[in-house]
Amino acid sequence: MSVQEDILAEIKAFDTIIIHRHKRPDPDALGSQVGLAELLRASFPGKKVYQVGGPSEGLEYLADMQTIDDVTYQNALVIVTDTANAPRISDDRFNLGTKLIKIDHHPNDEPYGDLMWVQDNASSCSEIIADFWEMFKEELHMTKDAARLLYAGIVGDTGRFLYPASSSHTLRIAADLIDFGFDYAGLNRRIEEISSNVARLSGYVYQNLQMDKTGAARVTFSTEMLDEFGVSDAQTSGVVPLPGAIEGVLAWAIFVQQKEGYYRVRMRSKGPAINEIAKRYHGGGHALASGANVADLDQAQKLYEELQKACVDFTKDE
């Protein structure tokens, strides 16, 4: 049996299914998690299917989480979507179930679970869930809302099909989902919508972005600055793509100071691989989109120097 057949068999075997995703969710985390939940509810109406996790700040228009007690995990199947490593799973109770399944599209550097379906060449975890539906269309029933959620996840992780992971298959899957009749144009606008405070922060990025001849770029947000702009850490995700539109920028890092003092690092690239850099700084991710954490500005400088070197090496190899 294939891993997909194994996963479907486990879903059929359990009466209670609890689906988790990563902390600080993005559209793909929520899209894959709740898209799968809606798919299973429609396909197996006799089962109890839950979506759990912490708050989804700014993405409440996609889906709400459910509150369950520890007892619900007894004799339950737990599925985690879009989460590369166990410490990032939102709600530590994911290991209270009888069986654990990992479905993800990040490099499988930290395996976990009894079953794993990891496809790191997929554009998004939502694309993988949509593939799951297409593999077993006779048994899995797509709904309008599940299609909306999966489409949102694909759009979110591909930057509206801008990033290299967007394949012809990705576009075909998106087209199949659109056929279910949700307002995809309105959803696209909602995903791209930013608050006036984030718009002001965008101006700060363009005015303060440090760029150099290597093709590397960076900008730093202190907690004081975020308070001044009235922007939360989660909202800074809205400005992450901006440096990529600037001519000459190959890779960039946005350092966001946390209330505890350390800096969360959002890294993106138009060519140089950055995920190995991220791994050296308590992070990871995709070759062209990764995250990391640095203790202070001195460590931030060291990470940035590695980013500069990656840009130089990439230019030499072209």
Side-chain angles (χ1 to χ4, degrees), residues 116-143:
M116 290 180 286
W117 178 10
V118 178
Q119 189 175 326
D120 61 10
N121 63 342
S123 72
S124 56
C125 194
S126 294
E127 179 179 312
I128 295 174
I129 301 302
D131 283 339
F132 187 54
W133 159 64
E134 295 216 324
M135 289 175 189
F136 304 104
K137 274 188 175 179
E138 292 185 0
E139 298 181 84
L140 299 178
H141 306 299
M142 183 63 68
T143 67

Side-chain angles (χ1 to χ4, degrees), residues 132-208:
F132 187 54
W133 159 64
E134 295 216 324
M135 289 175 189
F136 304 104
K137 274 188 175 179
E138 292 185 0
E139 298 181 84
L140 299 178
H141 306 299
M142 183 63 68
T143 67
K144 182 177 179 179
D145 198 42
R148 177 186 70 91
L149 287 156
L150 295 174
Y151 178 84
I154 292 171
V155 167
D157 252 28
T158 62
R160 290 194 295 179
F161 311 105
L162 174 67
Y163 305 145
S166 305
S167 64
S168 57
H169 177 70
T170 306
L171 296 172
R172 282 191 290 269
I173 285 287
D176 289 344
L177 295 172
I178 285 173
D179 285 342
F180 282 85
F182 59 90
D183 181 9
Y184 67 90
L187 183 57
N188 286 339
R189 288 192 298 271
R190 188 65 186 269
I191 291 171
E192 292 298 308
E193 187 177 80
I194 60 173
S195 68
S196 59
N197 290 350
V198 175
R200 290 175 54 233
L201 187 67
S202 300
Y204 180 93
V205 171
Y206 286 128
Q207 290 177 359
N208 294 274

